[in-house]
Amino acid sequence: MILPSPPAAAPARVLLANINRYDQPYPVYPLGLAYVDGALRAAGHATWIWDACTDAASLEEAVAKFQPDFIGLSLRNIDTVQCVNPHSFVPELVEYCRRLRTVSHAPLILGGSGFSIFPKELFALAGVDYGIAGEGELPFVALLAALRSGTGPEAIPGVVCRSSTGSVSVSPCRLSGVFSGAPFHEPRVLQAYAQHGSLPGIQTQRGCPLKCCYCTYPVIEGRRSRFRSSDEIVDELRQLSAHGMRYAFFVDSVFNTKTSHVVETCEAIIRAKLDMQWECFLRPGGITKDLLQLMQRAGLRHIEFGADSFSDTALDSYGKSFTFEEIREASQLANSVGVQYSHFLIFGGPGETPDTVEETLARAATLPAAFFFATIGMRIYPDTDLWKQLAPEQQGETAADYLVDPRFYLAPGLTAEALHARLRELQQTASNWIVGDPPAAFSNALTKLRQRGVRGPMREYVDLLQRLAMPPNSGRERRGIPAV
Ligand code: B12
Ligand code: SF4
């Protein structure tokens, strides 16, 4: 991506709305909107961010005050991706769009990672004027220029719009060879999220070339990795540090897709002597002690491994590119150098059986000082390998059927209820397991910790919070737990 040049037409006033109010595991800073904001400002437009999580004023009040020519809405989450007690955010989106129509004639432009998974369907449901699927910076600037100069926007890569015949068209995204970006971190928004205990995100690459069967990331960001220069990454970390941030989240789908990128980035961070710690997603393959220690010197404090399963049978049918032996090795290495880590696990995907479930649980118990985040069932998304395997079109279904009512794949012979009962039973005695959304007592204790100014990786408090949330007669050691 290359930064846009100033607009041919006059500058516009663009209200950017982040409608995500979901606060698990914490309210997530709207990084995507910061990138879009940076591109619009670089192109000379005037912007204002309204944030559903942190703004005291209503969206209507923001519209009345800012008087936008265009309104951009960011849809990050479609639903909570919980098979048990799912919650869809689509009705909320539709309601926001309806409310905006009553107070403004400005065209509504919808984007974001959630939107990019179901662009045509969400465009139609929300009744917006335009959508942008995939990355938003260049297409948004190009769309504003096209609308202001009266040229047709249909050919702009990623743009979703209604054609003159009334049909919805999606122009294919064109993801350029490089990833270079300058997000604008609005201090007001950044500080408000920090107050809520949120970790600011930073992105060092886009795209993932791997082929996990359920994964939407290659759909959103492309299949080819595009790496950001270490100078840009260091500059952004320096900016975040100047705003008082001391802990960041590397939001790359996988930080270690290429070892040389990890080495260059970490060496640059070390040279810059930044007082900043961070966590990231890693794949377990190809990790060495030297690499981990380099990352640690650059500020790594916590690793989130996207392991998905500890059974080689399930790993293979999930399309993962590593084995349990690599998971074990990476876990032991992390533990040996003193970096905390957790594993995300998906129970019930293709190839899972009661035996592979038990194999995963037994192997989990062998990993030193690990935390586990378990989900049940595999959310089925269009354009993924799982979708291709299931081919729902052959049963007369469409992508829209999978949008508002979240649908999950569960391997034959398994039920969500049985898996949930088995994992909840484990969670009762093992405080290093979180199954689905955290229990209410956990969330309440977390809120109290945040109110007391606790910052940084909440994973470090998981054990304590879990033990607080356990029933008193669960047999777990409760001594030494401070009152919160
Ligand atoms: C990092 C990450 C996390 C981290 C966030 C850490 C942090 N401190 O930021 C953690 C682990 C906490 C997390 C949690 C969750 N996540 Co998450 N996460 C991601 C991930 C990998 C990257 C997000 C990111 O920051 N990208 C970088 C920014 C720059 O990109 P972007 O937001 O997509 O923005 C670009 C475009 O979308 C577009 N754009 C964005 N806004 C707008 C607005 C307009 C107007 C326009 C035109 C364009 C536009 O332009 C931007 C720049 O190019 C994505 C997957 C992915 N690869 O996208 C999932 C993803 C966003 N998460 C997802 C989900 C579901 C969740 C959870 C609900 C999971 C759960 N059950 O707990 C929670 C919700 C958290 C919350 N409170 O909202 C889904 C959302 C879609 C869906 N399926 O519903 C994704 C897409 C993964 C998936 N399963 O498909 N997540
Ligand atoms: S799950 Fe992770 S490694 Fe697999 S395709 Fe998605 S982003 Fe890539």
Side-chain angles (χ1 to χ4, degrees):
M1 196 190 69
I2 294 148
L3 282 181
S5 44
R13 296 174 70 76
V14 189
L15 180 75
L16 295 171
N18 171 36
I19 61 169
N20 180 21
R21 286 189 301 132
Y22 189 51
D23 64 357
Q24 297 299 326
Y26 46 78
V28 168
Y29 173 70
L31 181 63
L33 219 47
Y35 268 97
V36 171
D37 194 7
L40 291 173
R41 283 166 178 261
H45 299 294
T47 61
W48 180 259
I49 293 199
W50 178 83
D51 191 285
C53 237
T54 60
D55 264 51
S58 69
L59 183 51
E60 285 85 348
E61 285 167 330
V63 170
K65 198 165 169 196
F66 187 66
Q67 293 292 316
D69 303 313
F70 297 93
I71 300 175
L73 293 117
S74 184
L75 182 74
R76 182 191 197 275
N77 302 327
I78 302 163
D79 51 69
T80 51
V81 199
Q82 302 290 357
C83 173
V84 180
N85 298 326
H87 178 84
S88 171
F89 300 111
V90 177
E92 214 171 61
L93 164 74
V94 174
E95 178 58 14
Y96 272 119
C97 294
R98 189 199 63 74
R99 279 168 48 189
L100 281 170
R101 292 292 192 204
T102 65
V103 293
S104 174
H105 295 297
L108 301 183
I109 301 161
L110 184 55
S113 46
F115 175 72
S116 306
I117 302 173
F118 289 93
K120 255 187 168 171
E121 296 74 20
L122 282 163
F123 174 90
L125 265 179
V128 290
D129 301 290
Y130 302 95
I132 292 173
E135 56 190 28
E137 297 92 328
L138 277 180
F140 202 147
V141 172
L143 176 64
L144 295 191
L147 295 177
R148 297 222 118 190
S149 63
T151 51
E154 298 83 8
I156 299 170
V159 162
V160 187
C161 59
R162 210 168 275 285
S163 70
S164 48
T165 60
S167 64
V168 180
S169 71
V170 184
S171 163
C173 305
R174 197 184 310 129
L175 301 165
S176 58
V178 283
F179 163 34
S180 163
F184 178 75
H185 294 293
E186 170 62 58
R188 169 179 58 90
V189 181
L190 200 56
Q191 299 294 350
Y193 273 87
Q195 295 289 315
H196 282 72
S198 178
L199 317 177
I202 174 153
Q203 197 173 30
T204 85
Q205 65 193 287
R206 287 183 180 169
C208 180
L210 301 171
K211 293 204 160 65
C212 307
C213 73
Y214 57 87
C215 185
T216 56
Y217 299 10
V219 176
I220 301 166
E221 299 181 356
R223 289 211 171 271
R224 213 155 45 85
S225 300
R226 293 166 293 139
F227 299 98
R228 199 171 174 205
S229 77
S230 50
D231 286 348
E232 267 191 23
I233 298 164
V234 166
D235 276 356
E236 194 178 340
L237 283 171
R238 205 174 266 127
Q239 269 182 49
L240 292 173
S241 171
H243 286 299
M245 307 295 135
R246 293 288 170 266
Y247 195 92
F249 195 114
F250 282 24
V251 299
D252 306 5
S253 307
V254 193
F255 181 44
N256 62 336
T257 41
K258 192 167 90 174
T259 304
S260 59
H261 173 69
V262 176
V263 171
E264 275 164 34
T265 306
C266 290
E267 284 178 345
I269 297 174
I270 294 168
R271 277 196 305 275
K273 296 191 170 52
L274 301 170
D275 177 17
M276 182 72 93
Q277 290 188 307
W278 43 273
E279 63 188 85
C280 64
F281 295 124
L282 291 185
R283 61 182 293 274
I287 293 179
T288 63
K289 193 167 189 172
D290 284 351
L291 190 65
L292 270 183
Q293 285 176 328
L294 177 73
M295 292 166 78
Q296 204 175 15
R297 285 202 301 282
L300 173 68
R301 187 151 132 200
H302 188 101
I303 301 169
E304 306 210 350
F305 287 114
D308 290 355
S309 173
F310 298 144
S311 151
D312 287 319
T313 313
L315 284 171
D316 190 43
S317 45
Y318 286 13
K320 305 304 284 188
S321 53
F322 44 80
T323 60
F324 176 67
E325 212 30 60
E326 289 170 287
I327 296 173
R328 188 203 305 275
E329 208 174 305
S331 306
Q332 285 170 345
L333 277 177
N335 186 54
S336 72
V337 300
V339 174
Q340 290 200 351
Y341 68 97
S342 43
H343 286 288
F344 282 89
L345 298 167
I346 303 176
F347 287 89
E352 185 91 283
T353 62
D355 287 348
T356 61
V357 170
E358 291 308 321
E359 186 179 22
T360 292
L361 299 186
R363 286 177 160 183
T366 67
L367 300 179
F371 284 91
F372 305 101
F373 293 88
T375 54
I376 294 164
M378 236 173 219
R379 179 78 165 92
I380 305 166
Y381 295 112
D383 291 330
T384 58
D385 285 350
L386 182 62
W387 181 272
K388 285 171 201 149
Q389 282 168 34
L390 300 173
E393 298 94 342
Q394 286 174 13
Q395 278 78 53
E397 291 179 321
T398 65
D401 298 323
Y402 286 72
L403 172 58
V404 185
D405 183 15
R407 300 252 201 118
F408 293 82
Y409 176 87
L410 271 171
L414 296 171
T415 64
E417 293 70 28
L419 280 171
H420 194 242
R422 176 72 184 96
L423 293 170
R424 281 283 183 189
E425 177 196 41
L426 178 71
Q427 192 180 4
Q428 289 295 310
T429 52
S431 57
N432 56 343
W433 278 82
I434 297 243
V435 181
D437 265 340
F442 176 101
S443 304
N444 294 341
L446 187 58
T447 307
K448 285 185 186 160
L449 281 178
R450 284 186 189 129
Q451 284 164 351
R452 288 181 175 201
V454 172
R455 297 286 176 266
M458 287 301 162
R459 304 293 187 253
E460 290 184 5
Y461 308 99
V462 165
D463 190 45
L464 166 65
L465 291 169
Q466 284 275 83
R467 280 188 284 148
L468 281 166
M470 278 178 181
N473 59 353
S474 63
R476 291 285 305 185
E477 184 60 73
R478 290 177 63 89
R479 265 178 304 147
I481 300 174
V484 283

